[in-house]
Amino acid sequence: MPEPTEQHYWQSFKTGNSESFEYLYKSYASGLYNYGSKFSKDNDLIKECIQDLFVGLWTRRSTLGNPDHLKNYLYKSFRHLVFKKTFQLQNFEVYEEDSDTYSFQVSLNMEEAIIDGEQRNKVTEQLNLALARLTARQREAVFLRFYEQLSYEEIAEVMDISVKASYKIMARALGFLKENLSKEDFLLLSLLIHLKLLS
């Protein structure tokens, strides 16, 4: 008998099956927390947003549609909650999710890289300095592309931008990194992000 698909669990959850709901929570909560932690260092805020997301899903389950890509749907909904709650806490009068003034911090975890200690520290510092100079939107796109391994179309869906814009953001980010890193460091960065060493 084939393993149940995510769509099976989604449909089952929508009918009120608590085990399917628990499966969805366990499948995505950790990834959402990691994504959320890039927006804010307030762990309680991120946990609250995850809780709000899933409570909202449960209470609205009978009226929910059937997203083509469940992960994209959950990440986009979660991202919206994080933005909304962050803006509320900062007492901003205008809620602008499409601005480029938000925070998104990505750093490299080199512990698993096969490099000796002194060189590792030097390379880590160079790479993190370069990443820090990207815009928040560029860092978020890099994270979604290489850590979450989303396609450009999926990045566009999660970030609520056009597919063309997702290509442009990534091209600018990688272009900047290539210009501001040595050839060796850029190649190492490419290797590390493909090995999912972004923390």
Side-chain angles (χ1 to χ4, degrees), residues 59-173:
T59 55
R60 295 182 291 107
R61 63 188 182 279
S62 61
T63 61
L64 294 173
N66 298 306
D68 292 331
H69 303 285
L70 183 55
K71 180 177 181 177
N72 298 357
Y73 172 76
L74 294 176
Y75 273 57
K76 180 178 181 179
S77 301
F78 174 69
R79 183 180 191 268
H80 176 75
L81 278 172
V82 171
F83 269 76
K84 191 172 183 180
K85 203 165 285 288
T86 302
F87 273 68
Q88 286 172 347
L89 287 173
Q90 294 174 349
N91 294 318
F92 288 156
E93 292 183 11
V94 182
Y95 167 51
E96 296 180 356
E97 193 169 325
D98 60 348
S99 74
D100 202 15
T101 58
Y102 61 96
S103 172
F104 194 89
Q105 301 302 320
V106 177
S107 61
L108 284 164
N109 175 8
M110 303 284 282
E111 294 305 311
E112 299 172 43
I114 308 171
I115 311 172
D116 67 65
E118 188 176 335
Q119 185 189 4
R120 181 170 66 209
N121 292 337
K122 179 175 174 286
V123 173
T124 299
E125 184 179 355
Q126 291 300 314
L127 297 181
N128 285 332
L129 282 171
L131 283 170
R133 291 173 62 194
L134 296 176
T135 67
R137 195 171 288 270
Q138 288 170 340
R139 285 193 294 271
E140 185 179 359
V142 167
F143 174 83
L144 292 172
R145 180 76 179 104
F146 296 109
Y147 189 90
E148 293 295 338
Q149 298 184 336
L150 299 189
S151 67
Y152 287 99
E153 291 74 17
E154 290 170 328
I155 291 170
E157 185 178 346
V158 170
M159 295 180 67
D160 203 18
I161 56 178
S162 68
V163 176
K164 184 178 179 180
S166 72
Y167 275 101
K168 185 183 283 188
I169 289 168
M170 278 299 300
R172 285 181 176 169

Side-chain angles (χ1 to χ4, degrees), residues 5 25 50 92 111 118 131 165 171 173-174 179 186 197:
T5 63
Y25 178 84
I50 293 172
F92 288 156
E111 294 305 311
E118 188 176 335
L131 283 170
L174 294 176
E179 286 175 12
F186 182 74
L197 294 183

